[in-house]
Amino acid sequence: MAETGYKVELGERRFGRFNRLGMQTLALREIKRFWVVWTQTLMAPMVTAALFLLIFNIAIGPSRGDVMGVPFLHFLAPGILTMTVIQNAFANTSSSIVISKVQGNIVDTLMPPLSGLELLMGYLAGAVARGLFVAVGIGLGLMLALGVVPAHPLVALGFVILGAILLGGIGIIAGVFADKFDQMAAITNFIVTPLAFLSGTFYSVSALPPVLQALSRVNPVFYLIDGVRYGVIGTSDSAPLLGAAVCVSACVAMCTLAWWMLRTGYRLKN
């Protein structure tokens, strides 16, 4: 029989090749996950942020006076925006992995020829996209309702993206560790929420006692909120460059751990 000259490709992955199509497909899946239920994943956080601002304004706004040279609501707004962004970025990656593990279809993500880096980038793309949608929605609301125009918009955008990456990476780690929804709820309630609330969201850390100030300054979320605050109102409790260095370092550390988990299949392939 004469040879046809055709060569059959079995789709084997060559060393060093980047599976862009696979990574883009995973990223699109993660984006579609929150987009199809946008009233829950996008609209609800915006409404919650608006309620925070309304309640604080009614409760203590008129008597609080200026903070760091700006009205109290203007000071509060960047913290609430950042808190909302990081909570949603964490929820996007952690819920995706936990739901897949509970439903038993995590194998659909692990079987395709995707490296640990490609899996990490795909999951983080969904977290960053969700965080940016929420940030843009809240930011537009602040401009319309309070007249808040960002003093350094690119700085604010950079810290928002860093926050989404950091909490997206932590969400991957939490999703890998958690086997049930109650375990994920415990991580959210006892780790993520305290990190967000005790990081200068509602106050300036300069008003805290020295011990609490020192504790706040080892929390990377403090630098995220402080960086966004600098980008929005032009003032902050710490140097923006220091905050950027801390946030980038935290992102590298968390994403490296998440990459290792995805690459080795830790607690995923059992």
Side-chain angles (χ1 to χ4, degrees), residues 34-255:
F34 71 80
W35 188 257
V36 296
V37 288
W38 64 271
T39 54
Q40 175 186 346
T41 57
L42 299 179
M43 183 61 68
M46 297 178 195
V47 173
T48 302
L51 289 174
F52 264 116
L53 288 171
L54 178 62
I55 292 171
F56 272 94
N57 184 48
I58 294 174
I60 61 176
S63 61
R64 185 64 174 83
D66 290 353
V67 180
M68 298 176 68
V70 299
F72 177 63
L73 283 185
H74 290 202
F75 169 84
L76 187 64
I80 291 180
L81 184 150
T82 310
M83 180 184 70
T84 307
V85 167
I86 63 177
Q87 287 178 340
N88 280 269
F90 174 85
N92 207 71
T93 53
S94 61
S95 64
S96 179
I97 295 176
V98 170
I99 290 173
S100 296
K101 291 171 69 175
V102 171
Q103 293 179 344
N105 57 25
I106 188 67
V107 64
D108 295 335
T109 303
L110 298 177
M111 283 187 63
L114 291 170
S115 68
L117 178 61
E118 292 156 359
L119 288 171
L120 176 68
M121 293 178 65
Y123 279 119
L124 289 181
V128 172
R130 181 169 169 179
L132 286 176
F133 273 115
V134 171
V136 169
I138 297 176
L140 291 176
L142 295 176
M143 292 177 65
L144 294 174
L146 301 178
V148 177
V149 179
H152 309 285
L154 293 181
V155 174
L157 176 62
F159 276 98
V160 164
I161 293 175
L162 285 174
I165 293 174
L166 175 59
L167 269 295
I170 294 176
I172 294 173
I173 297 169
V176 171
F177 270 103
D179 293 321
K180 298 181 291 184
F181 291 113
D182 57 345
Q183 294 175 345
M184 180 54 61
I187 295 173
T188 302
N189 293 331
F190 297 111
I191 297 179
V192 177
T193 300
L195 283 177
F197 275 71
L198 302 177
S199 54
T201 302
F202 307 105
Y203 53 85
S204 172
V205 297
S206 61
L208 296 176
V211 174
L212 294 181
Q213 283 194 43
L215 290 175
S216 297
R217 293 180 186 276
V218 299
N219 179 2
V221 178
F222 157 72
Y223 295 97
L224 290 173
I225 293 173
D226 206 46
V228 175
R229 183 167 286 139
Y230 174 80
V232 174
I233 65 175
T235 59
S236 59
D237 284 313
S238 64
L241 288 179
L242 172 63
V246 172
C247 293
V248 169
S249 300
C251 286
V252 171
M254 293 297 101
C255 290

